């Protein structure tokens, strides 16, 4: 008798523990649905207020349908021990995880692209040496360092060897070789003398220059490049516009199909056109119709149509800018695969960036000689040294 009582007690303890675990799991899932899914509910509500069905609405409907159907199934199972339904809490959770992971990847891609733009801005000088000229306009009466943001058109600036040119201008004194590779890609420095134009962001060589600023702030060449990159990222490619159009119709279409699915299966179940033996045990026609409706919403929910295209355009233009290639916009990227011929307008020679030996020339007494003669000359020198 005592072992039987112990077994009954253990049985009820296990049932109580299982019920407690289920309630705890339900509470955690409810918190996840509210906290993680909250932004999607807000996005869906704002879209509905302005008559727009966005992706947030699809995520909210899909996750709510899966969560609500699971709650309903649990309630039926608690009321009827013979009910053999299923719960789909994991579907709701995984949808939220996948969509949030996609948003995170998009945010990281935008951050990397912003880093590329900031990298371009960092090419500019942070400060400059402002010169005050004497009455003759040539001698330097005073020099002081100022932030680059305070440079005005007409200011005369000193550019020391190895310093970055602080603004676009014209050389008024001195001569040097300036590295313009950040702008033109030229590996060889370009000689600058009085009257020559210099570009802000380029690097001065070994000479000292005095330049007069002609374009400052947002009017400089470097700022124009940054604006070009930013405009390229904001510009929508034709395929992106098509994706946005499809996405705007995608959500209403999915919701309509889900309602049609629910109505069709409910009609078939209530009109007894379905074989009762084909229904899952304990499933009514209403539950079967709801189950198929949830399936339509959940399958269509994690759609990346409106996410992938803008992310690709932003990443491509950002990486290209970091590598020195400026792309005008997404339409240019879209047409790139049709390229047959590439014409380079460049003053120097295009290289692969990996030097390789093309020819070996033997020199003797400052004059090129044949390899055989060079070898004989080397042997003669060795014999003379041995003697």
């Amino acid at each position: 008798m005592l072992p039987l009582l112990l077994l009954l007690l253990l049985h009820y303890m296990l049932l109580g523990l299982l019920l407690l675990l289920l309630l705890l799991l339900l509470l955690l899932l409810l918190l996840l649905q509210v906290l993680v899914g909250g932004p999607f509910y807000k996005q869906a509500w704002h879209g509905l207020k302005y008559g727009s069905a966005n992706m947030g609405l699809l995520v909210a409907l899909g996750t709510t349908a899966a969560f609500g159907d699971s709650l309903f199934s649990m309630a039926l199972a608690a009321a009827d021990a013979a009910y053999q339904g299923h719960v789909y809490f994991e579907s709701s959770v995984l949808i939220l995880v996948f969509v949030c992971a996609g948003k995170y990847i998009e945010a990281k891609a935008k951050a990397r692209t912003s880093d590329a733009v900031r990298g371009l801005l960092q090419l500019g000088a942070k400060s400059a040496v402002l010169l005050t000229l004497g009455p003759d306009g040539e001698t330097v009466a005073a020099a002081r360092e100022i932030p680059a943001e305070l440079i005005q058109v007409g200011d005369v600036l000193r550019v020391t060897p190895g310093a970055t040119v602080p603004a676009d201008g014209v050389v008024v004194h001195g001569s040097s070789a300036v590295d313009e590779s950040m702008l033109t890609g030229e590996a060889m420095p370009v000689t600058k003398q009085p009257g020559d134009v210099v570009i802000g962001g380029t690097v001065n060589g070994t000479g000292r220059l005095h330049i007069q600023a002609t374009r400052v702030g947002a009017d400089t060449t470097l700022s124009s490049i940054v604006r070009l990159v930013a405009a390229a990222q904001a510009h929508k490619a034709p395929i992106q516009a098509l994706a946005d159009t499809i996405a705007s119709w995608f959500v209403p279409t999915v919701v309509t199909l889900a309602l049609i699915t629910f109505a069709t299966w409910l009609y078939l179940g209530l009109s007894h056109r379905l074989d009762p033996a084909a229904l899952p045990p304990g499933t009514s026609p209403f539950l079967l119709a709801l189950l198929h409706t949830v399936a339509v919403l959940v399958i269509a929910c994690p759609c990346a149509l409106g996410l992938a295209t803008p992310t690709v355009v932003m990443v491509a233009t950002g990486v290209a800018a970091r590598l020195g290639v400026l792309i005008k916009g997404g339409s240019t990227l879209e047409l790139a695969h049709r390229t047959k011929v590439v014409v380079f307008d460049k003053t120097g020679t295009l290289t692969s960036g990996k030097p390789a030996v093309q020819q070996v020339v033997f020199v003797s007494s400052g004059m090129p000689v044949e390899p055989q003669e060079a070898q004989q000359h080397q042997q003669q020198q060795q014999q003379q040294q041995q003697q």
Side-chain angles (χ1 to χ4, degrees):
M1 187 68 180
L2 185 59
L4 181 59
L5 291 175
L6 290 176
L7 287 176
L8 289 175
L9 181 61
L10 181 61
H11 174 72
Y12 283 110
M13 288 179 61
L14 290 176
L15 286 179
L17 182 61
L18 181 60
L19 180 60
L20 181 62
L21 289 176
L22 287 176
L23 291 177
L24 181 61
L25 179 62
L26 180 61
L27 178 61
L28 291 176
L29 291 172
L30 182 60
L31 289 175
L32 184 66
Q33 185 73 25
V34 173
L35 297 179
V36 180
F40 297 104
Y41 287 110
K42 291 180 181 178
Q43 182 182 357
W45 172 247
H46 288 305
L48 290 176
K49 281 200 306 184
Y50 295 100
S52 172
N54 50 36
M55 285 295 178
L57 176 62
L58 200 57
V59 174
L61 285 176
T63 55
T64 304
F67 188 82
D69 181 72
S70 301
L71 281 180
F72 190 54
S73 183
M74 285 184 65
L76 291 178
D80 185 5
Y83 179 72
Q84 300 181 11
H86 300 279
V87 294
Y88 303 97
F89 289 118
E90 74 283 355
S91 299
S92 174
V93 173
L94 287 176
I95 288 173
L96 292 175
V97 169
F98 284 139
V99 175
C100 288
K103 296 289 185 181
Y104 174 76
I105 293 173
E106 181 187 20
K108 291 288 288 183
K110 289 181 178 178
R112 285 195 297 267
T113 303
S114 300
D115 291 341
V117 176
R118 281 194 295 269
L120 290 175
L121 289 172
Q122 289 174 358
L123 293 175
K126 303 297 183 293
S127 62
V129 178
L130 177 64
L131 302 180
T132 302
L133 301 181
D136 58 357
E138 295 183 359
T139 58
V140 178
R144 60 189 179 95
E145 187 173 353
I146 62 171
E149 295 82 5
L150 299 181
I151 300 175
Q152 302 294 323
V153 175
D155 287 347
V156 178
L157 309 170
R158 176 188 293 164
V159 185
T160 56
T164 301
V165 178
D168 294 0
V170 178
V171 178
V172 295
H173 178 73
S175 62
S176 180
V178 178
D179 181 5
E180 296 182 343
S181 58
M182 56 78 63
L183 182 66
T184 64
E186 292 290 348
M188 299 299 294
V190 180
T191 302
K192 299 294 182 180
Q193 296 177 347
D196 291 338
V197 176
V198 290
I199 305 298
T202 55
V203 181
N204 186 24
T206 57
R208 175 177 294 184
L209 296 175
H210 292 176
I211 67 170
Q212 186 174 27
T214 56
R215 288 185 294 182
V216 298
D219 296 329
T220 62
T221 303
L222 184 59
S223 297
S224 300
I225 294 175
V226 173
R227 284 198 303 272
L228 177 62
V229 174
Q233 293 170 353
H235 178 72
K236 287 188 177 182
I239 187 64
Q240 185 176 346
L242 176 62
D244 292 342
T245 303
I246 295 175
S248 65
W249 287 94
F250 180 76
V251 178
T253 302
V254 169
V255 174
T256 303
L257 290 176
L259 293 176
I260 292 174
T261 301
F262 178 79
T264 302
W265 281 98
L266 185 61
Y267 170 75
L268 292 176
L270 295 178
S271 61
H272 304 289
R273 299 194 178 190
L274 293 177
D275 185 5
L279 295 176
T283 302
S284 64
F286 175 79
L287 288 178
L288 184 64
L290 182 61
L291 182 63
H292 286 84
T293 304
V294 171
V296 172
L297 291 173
V298 168
I299 290 173
C301 186
C303 175
L305 184 63
L307 177 67
T309 307
T311 303
V312 168
V313 172
M314 292 194 69
V315 172
T317 53
V319 172
R322 191 163 58 248
L323 296 176
V325 179
L326 300 180
I327 301 175
K328 281 192 173 182
S331 57
T332 307
L333 280 175
E334 187 177 340
L335 294 174
H337 73 283
R338 303 181 185 176
T339 303
K340 302 298 182 182
V341 178
V342 179
V343 179
F344 292 95
D345 179 14
K346 191 172 176 66
T347 56
T349 304
L350 288 173
T351 65
S352 62
K354 297 179 180 179
V357 177
Q358 299 292 327
Q359 185 181 8
V360 178
V361 178
F362 293 91
V363 179
S364 177
S365 302
M367 298 295 293
V369 296
E370 294 295 330
Q372 217 170 16
E373 296 178 4
Q375 186 176 7
Q376 293 175 357
H377 182 70
Q378 186 178 8
Q379 290 176 354
Q380 291 175 0
Q381 287 182 340
Q382 289 177 354
Q383 291 175 359
Q384 291 176 359
Q385 290 175 358
Q386 291 176 358
Q387 293 175 357

